Amino acid sequence: MGKKGSKSSIFSSCFTHDKNYLITGNLRNINVIDLHAQKQIACIKDIHDSKFLNQSSQDWHSWKDNFYTLAITSDDKYVISPGANKSLQIISLKTKEIEHIWKDVHKGTNITALLLFYKDKYLASAATDHSIKIFDIETKQIVHKFEEVFDRK
């Protein structure tokens, strides 16, 4: 690919299931790269910006630690991404818009893992607060919480 890209570090990435695209995320944007054409075809700008969550400070240092993972639905239509203030968001790859935001999902700073399962009906998220939350994607509800999953000893 060799072309000069964003100077911002990439914190997470995933491939679409058809293996045609690479989705990457940095502190502010989600980028869609066409692997066959070897070029970026979309940049969803400021997707993790605090403006989506009414955060008073525009200082990215206040929320930069939240974005270390991505998940993509099996039909390649949606990306699930952590966002500002311990949130999770569903982003449409077609419209490049946020479809839904779950606010204040975890108490810890970092959402470290996302997993879609049971035919994309459920989403599991894990964080540094030692918790795992299970979401129903269709109803947008948290259906189960595992708090203090790991003993800190």
Side-chain angles (χ1 to χ4, degrees):
M1 291 178 55
K3 295 183 180 176
K4 201 171 193 179
S6 170
K7 292 186 181 192
S8 181
S9 298
I10 295 172
F11 284 89
S12 61
S13 63
C14 63
F15 290 95
T16 55
H17 293 87
D18 63 12
K19 298 183 179 49
N20 290 324
Y21 303 97
L22 172 64
I23 314 296
T24 65
N26 60 33
L27 294 176
R28 287 230 185 264
N29 307 321
I30 288 181
N31 299 296
V32 181
I33 300 163
D34 183 320
L35 295 172
H36 299 289
Q38 296 187 359
K39 67 178 185 175
Q40 179 177 310
I41 59 167
C43 179
I44 307 168
K45 292 185 179 285
D46 297 324
I47 204 71
H48 302 105
D49 199 325
S50 57
K51 70 182 176 183
F52 291 111
L53 298 169
N54 300 318
Q55 182 176 333
S56 59
S57 171
Q58 292 294 321
D59 178 11
W60 63 267
H61 292 284
S62 62
W63 52 266
K64 69 179 180 134
D65 292 337
N66 292 314
F67 187 44
Y68 288 105
T69 184
L70 287 170
I72 190 162
T73 57
S74 59
D75 60 7
D76 295 332
K77 290 183 179 179
Y78 299 98
V79 170
I80 315 295
S81 170
N85 292 343
K86 301 170 284 257
S87 72
L88 284 172
Q89 44 202 7
I90 300 174
I91 304 154
S92 168
L93 286 174
K94 182 178 180 180
T95 65
K96 317 286 188 289
E97 299 290 328
I98 294 174
E99 300 276 327
H100 183 75
I101 296 176
W102 288 286
K103 294 183 181 178
D104 298 315
V105 173
H106 292 279
K107 297 173 192 167
T109 305
N110 297 332
I111 296 173
T112 56
L114 295 173
L115 175 68
L116 287 158
F117 62 99
Y118 194 66
K119 300 181 182 177
D120 295 342
K121 179 170 173 47
Y122 297 103
L123 171 72
S125 69
T128 57
D129 64 355
H130 301 260
S131 73
I132 297 171
K133 306 281 174 71
I134 308 294
F135 303 84
D136 184 312
I137 296 290
E138 293 172 8
T139 67
K140 311 293 190 273
Q141 300 296 313
I142 296 175
V143 295
H144 197 78
K145 299 176 185 179
F146 298 94
E147 303 289 342
E148 298 292 326
V149 174
F150 299 103
D151 186 6
R152 294 183 185 195
K153 293 179 184 177

